[in-house]
Amino acid sequence: MKDVVSACPIEEAMRVLSGRWPTLLLYYLKEGPKRFSDLRRDNPTVSHRMLTLELRKLEQAGIVRRTDHPGYPRRVDYDLTPAGRRLLPLIDALGDWWEETITIRRTPQPLSEAA
Amino acid sequence: MKDVVSACPIEEAMRVLSGRWPTLLLYYLKEGPKRFSDLRRDNPTVSHRMLTLELRKLEQAGIVRRTDHPGYPRRVDYDLTPAGRRLLPLIDALGDWWEETITIRRTPQPLSEAA
DNA sequence: TGTAAATTACGCACATTTTTGTAACCGCCA
DNA sequence: TGGCGGTTACAAAAATGTGCGTAATTTACA
């Protein structure tokens, strides 16, 4: 991800949210604070490296907050910041939109204008 | 992009919208039908190849409609399907969300819960 | 009384995979 | 000849996975 400076907020937002993991992590963090290993269990196909990288990215973007509790067994948890929580409805809306378009694709019908 | 089958609509939607170009193309197509060369002019940094690939992807996803008008100077144009148009407000909302979080980051303030 | 193992959340180096760019070529038309 | 809208082969760059190492502390065990 090149550090291209852009004036376009959509482009900036997509730089953070693009890819397979960011929205999925947000989705799981919706349930409340989670530990690193919880998130790996939630999504078994993410590698530990990717998970740290993505979490750092989300942290830097102000979407996720990382808390490192000192002590044993080591314990770090991640939860959504207010900004992250404000993002949730948008992500859900995206899911709804997709389901809608899928349904339409499955239902033979002329593509009519609904301007 | 591996052809992973997923039950999650958010993941599916992001498979189409991830990356630098999809949302930008949607943004420019908002203005109405555009030709290939128009889109290249709108966004001078997209390569010829990427533009075709991304347009094909959006077409397959049912977001963009390609129309090849036969005749004199060749003319192909792309415009949003109804599904694509339904996506526009979500993309705008994403831009707004980003501007909001940026503003917050610029305004020193305690991270308070706004559950 | 040691000491080795297990746990958690990583970091690092290296390898592989995927994405993207470059440049050349094509058919169509004027 | 030149522009439009591509495609294809090849190369560069970026993303992602793999496996090993680490710190701190408790437990297991001999």
Side-chain angles (χ1 to χ4, degrees):
Chain A
M1 194 168 29
K2 250 192 222 160
D3 193 23
V4 183
V5 177
S6 156
C8 174
I10 296 169
E11 214 178 331
E12 299 280 354
M14 286 308 287
R15 224 197 325 278
V16 177
L17 299 179
S18 272
R20 195 173 167 192
W21 307 119
T23 48
L24 278 185
L25 294 180
L26 277 268
Y27 179 84
Y28 286 115
L29 287 172
K30 187 156 65 169
E31 301 165 10
K34 296 244 182 173
R35 307 178 58 174
F36 188 85
S37 45
D38 293 332
L39 290 168
R40 289 211 69 188
R41 266 184 291 273
D42 284 336
N43 209 312
T45 60
V46 69
S47 69
H48 72 270
R49 184 168 176 273
M50 264 301 105
L51 186 52
T52 43
L53 290 176
E54 297 290 324
L55 286 170
R56 295 280 172 282
K57 194 173 69 173
L58 294 174
E59 198 192 349
Q60 284 232 133
I63 294 172
V64 155
R65 174 172 31 205
R66 192 185 109 109
T67 315
D68 195 339
H69 308 276
Y72 175 81
R74 190 173 178 190
R75 193 189 140 87
V76 177
D77 59 37
Y78 297 89
D79 67 336
L80 296 177
T81 62
R85 251 172 267 125
R86 274 199 302 279
L87 193 50
L88 291 176
L90 300 188
I91 293 178
D92 287 339
L94 212 61
D96 294 345
W97 165 83
W98 181 258
E99 291 201 319
E100 238 181 289
T101 80
I102 284 293
T103 308
I104 287 169
R105 253 205 293 290
R106 278 200 286 245
T107 313
Q109 64 171 211
L111 273 183
S112 58
E113 300 298 317
Chain B
M1 192 167 31
K2 249 193 222 162
D3 193 24
V4 184
V5 178
S6 155
C8 174
I10 296 169
E11 214 178 330
E12 300 279 354
M14 286 308 287
R15 231 207 309 286
V16 177
L17 300 178
S18 271
R20 194 173 167 191
W21 308 119
T23 49
L24 279 185
L25 294 179
L26 277 267
Y27 180 83
Y28 286 115
L29 287 172
K30 187 158 64 170
E31 300 164 12
K34 296 244 180 174
R35 306 179 56 173
F36 188 85
S37 45
D38 293 332
L39 290 169
R40 290 212 68 189
R41 267 185 292 273
D42 285 336
N43 208 311
T45 59
V46 69
S47 72
H48 190 102
R49 185 169 174 274
M50 263 300 107
L51 186 54
T52 42
L53 289 177
E54 295 291 322
L55 286 171
R56 295 282 172 279
K57 194 173 68 171
L58 293 174
E59 198 192 348
Q60 285 231 134
I63 294 172
V64 155
R65 173 173 32 203
R66 192 185 108 109
T67 314
D68 195 338
H69 307 274
Y72 329 121
R74 186 168 181 196
R75 191 190 140 89
V76 177
D77 58 37
Y78 296 90
D79 68 335
L80 296 177
T81 61
R85 250 173 267 124
R86 274 198 304 277
L87 194 49
L88 291 176
L90 300 189
I91 292 177
D92 286 339
L94 214 59
D96 294 345
W97 165 82
W98 182 258
E99 291 200 319
E100 237 182 290
T101 79
I102 284 293
T103 309
I104 287 170
R105 254 205 291 289
R106 278 199 286 245
T107 313
Q109 64 170 212
L111 273 181
S112 58
E113 302 295 320

